[in-house]
Amino acid sequence: MSVRQFSAATSVLAMMAFAAASPAHAVTEIQWWHAMTGPNNDVVNKLASDFNASQSDYKIVPTFKGSYADTLNAGIAAFRAGNAPGIMQVFEVGTATMMAAKGAIKPVSELMKEEGEPFDPNSYLPAITGYYSTSKGDMLSFPFNSSSMVMWVNLDALKKAGIDAPPKTWPDVFEDAKKLHAAGNPTCGFSTGWVTWALIEQFNAWHNLPIGTKANGLDGFDTVLEFNSPLETKLLENLVELQKDKSFDYSGRTNTGEGRFTSGECAMFMTSSAFYPNVKANAKFNYTAVAMPYFPEAKGAPQNSIIGGASLWVMGGKSKEEYKGIAKFFTFLSDTDRQANLHQVSGYLPITKAAYEKTKASGFYEKNPILEVPLKELTNKAPTENSRGLRFGGMVQMRDVWSEEIEAALAGKKSAKDALDTAVSRGNQMLRQFERTATK
């Protein structure tokens, strides 16, 4: 072999070796920050793994970032530092904060249109669509894990107290709480998690009462709070009275008190429908979940509930390839079979009408009626301006303010009316500060 032939052969071998060692193409990684714990963390990891296995162009990398509030704060800080994830899970009350973070987000309706992926807002349950859309109907984020509030009931405790069926109205709840307290639940007949979500946000939607003007802030940041009407005051006054002997007993601002239900301490407990897997795994008694109670004198009640949970926001400033991959991932998540399965294994709601209908047609709810309760609440009636949802700036901090005032009333430091009046006035001050910041 000549020197020239040897050199040519060596070059060919080198090129073959380089090709063998190099990937056929670069895979685009997409960071997904989330707040899911326990079994639902496993669900998130499996969704990412299944998508990654379904194609070879993109890789979703899920990362747990702490609580909902922690994840929101981390994402905003990361955006300001120039290293935000491609996708961020944000709880529903963080919507106004995300909207006001100029340049931080890319609306999902805009993304899907640009990338040519199928996306029809009308395919989602109306209560979900309204929460995450602009007043013009453009969806801002991708619905992911949605829930609503239900009342969990210990059927064995009710039977022991001589109560034939779970209560439907607030007067029934008050009466049953007293009976339960007297019949073996001395520290808690009835309680609730997420106190402001239960006693203000869901209560007002369920009774078709405004929380604030401008469709609860959905139609503008210049909203004014108004949840201090006679009916909200009546609810809190009754709970203050029941708190005195622990027929009702306060369980905190978030869901940290939910174990009081699964342990049997509290026989009736209002909290998220997403509590289902926990109840199923830990309750050692017969239980069920029923719709939230209502005051029968409230005209048109019950109306419809509003959603909890979170959605997926697409962050701004990402590459064209990242956006293409995120759009394909959202199409992957929208698959009807995948949505139906996600609902059935996680306890969260099916976010599309098709997934709901498929689950219903399969007979799933006949064996698992509890999981249909929040869906019946959300779809009880067509949403109104009072029950489409809410969008208040600084909602995480404002919930703490509202909770402080409710706590003051329950502790006997203020009347129920004074507490709600102060919650409204303090909240309005916070809204004006947010409005000044958001409209600069």
Side-chain angles (χ1 to χ4, degrees):
M1 179 184 293
S2 69
V3 172
R4 181 177 293 177
Q5 288 173 320
F6 178 81
S7 177
T10 300
S11 298
V12 170
L13 288 171
M15 290 174 64
M16 289 174 64
F18 177 78
S22 302
H25 61 276
V27 175
T28 301
E29 283 199 357
I30 299 164
Q31 298 295 321
W32 175 14
W33 288 5
H34 68 88
M36 295 286 91
T37 58
N40 287 332
N41 179 63
D42 298 336
V43 169
V44 165
N45 289 334
K46 188 175 189 309
L47 286 171
S49 177
D50 288 350
F51 174 74
N52 295 342
S54 73
Q55 45 73 51
S56 58
D57 295 324
Y58 310 99
K59 181 181 180 182
I60 299 291
V61 182
T63 303
F64 172 71
K65 299 298 286 188
S67 69
Y68 279 138
D70 292 338
T71 303
L72 174 60
N73 292 335
I76 292 174
F79 174 78
R80 289 171 179 161
N83 57 358
I87 304 170
M88 190 166 77
Q89 183 191 30
V90 177
F91 59 164
E92 85 285 11
V93 295
T95 300
T97 300
M98 294 299 291
M99 287 178 65
K102 300 201 179 352
I105 66 159
K106 188 174 185 67
V108 69
S109 56
E110 179 183 310
L111 169 79
M112 300 301 271
K113 183 178 180 180
E114 287 179 0
E115 301 305 332
E117 292 291 331
F119 186 70
D120 180 10
N122 292 323
S123 68
Y124 296 91
L125 296 175
I128 295 175
T129 305
Y131 209 114
Y132 297 123
S133 298
T134 66
S135 57
K136 296 179 180 179
D138 297 325
M139 287 190 73
L140 298 163
S141 58
F142 183 86
F144 181 58
N145 57 304
S146 293
S147 61
S148 196
M149 178 160 276
V150 298
M151 186 162 70
W152 295 92
V153 179
N154 181 332
L155 293 172
D156 292 345
L158 260 63
K159 184 177 181 181
K160 182 181 176 183
I163 302 169
D164 295 332
K168 293 183 178 180
T169 69
W170 275 110
D172 289 340
V173 170
F174 304 146
E175 194 60 37
D176 288 353
K178 295 175 186 175
K179 292 178 181 178
L180 288 161
H181 175 260
N185 294 84
T187 59
C188 177
F190 164 66
S191 192
T192 178
W194 301 111
V195 66
T196 65
W197 192 40
L199 304 186
I200 297 175
E201 298 159 45
Q202 289 286 8
F203 179 85
N204 280 42
W206 199 227
H207 289 83
N208 197 22
L209 295 171
I211 304 168
T213 60
K214 293 288 183 82
N216 295 336
L218 290 170
D219 291 344
F221 288 150
D222 54 336
T223 176
V224 177
L225 300 174
E226 47 184 0
F227 55 79
N228 52 343
S229 78
L231 200 63
E232 294 101 335
T233 304
K234 181 178 180 178
L235 172 65
L236 188 53
E237 284 174 343
N238 276 277
L239 296 180
V240 167
E241 189 61 31
L242 294 174
Q243 177 71 59
K244 291 177 181 177
D245 71 354
K246 294 187 180 292
S247 292
F248 167 81
D249 193 47
Y250 182 63
S251 290
R253 300 179 183 185
T254 62
N255 63 337
T256 53
E258 287 177 343
R260 302 182 77 190
F261 177 76
T262 50
S263 71
E265 181 189 0
C266 298
M268 300 187 298
F269 200 97
M270 279 175 54
T271 192
S272 172
S273 57
F275 188 35
Y276 175 72
N278 197 321
V279 177
K280 185 177 181 181
N282 297 301
K284 307 302 181 187
F285 48 80
N286 292 314
Y287 62 86
T288 191
V290 297
M292 293 180 290
Y294 61 95
F295 278 111
E297 67 266 32
K299 185 178 179 181
Q303 170 58 40
N304 66 278
S305 66
I306 54 177
I307 60 169
S311 63
L312 303 182
W313 290 78
V314 182
M315 303 304 286
K318 298 300 169 182
S319 69
K320 175 70 173 174
E321 275 305 302
E322 283 181 275
Y323 284 143
K324 186 179 290 292
I326 292 170
K328 289 189 177 299
F329 181 51
F330 286 173
T331 296
F332 172 88
L333 291 179
S334 298
D335 175 76
T336 298
D337 289 343
R338 187 164 288 108
Q339 279 295 325
N341 181 67
L342 185 62
H343 162 52
Q344 293 168 28
V345 301
S346 71
Y348 282 106
L349 308 180
I351 59 175
T352 63
K353 297 172 186 174
Y356 180 21
E357 292 303 323
K358 183 178 180 67
T359 302
K360 188 187 294 186
S362 73
F364 177 81
Y365 296 125
E366 293 169 16
K367 296 178 181 178
N368 303 274
I370 287 174
L371 289 181
E372 194 174 19
V373 172
L375 286 158
K376 287 181 175 179
E377 289 180 321
L378 283 168
T379 58
N380 187 54
K381 292 176 182 173
T384 69
E385 283 201 346
N386 298 327
S387 66
R388 276 197 291 147
L390 56 93
R391 190 172 296 154
F392 301 122
M395 189 63 185
V396 178
Q397 296 79 13
M398 196 152 57
R399 271 182 166 176
D400 284 336
V401 165
W402 297 354
S403 295
E404 283 177 12
E405 296 302 327
I406 290 171
E407 289 162 0
L410 292 173
K413 297 177 180 178
K414 288 185 176 183
S415 71
K417 183 70 168 86
D418 284 347
L420 291 177
D421 286 346
T422 307
V424 164
S425 63
R426 291 178 67 190
N428 281 331
Q429 290 174 10
M430 297 173 74
L431 288 177
R432 299 292 72 79
Q433 175 61 37
F434 180 84
E435 184 184 359
R436 286 191 292 271
T437 304
T439 55
K440 278 184 178 178

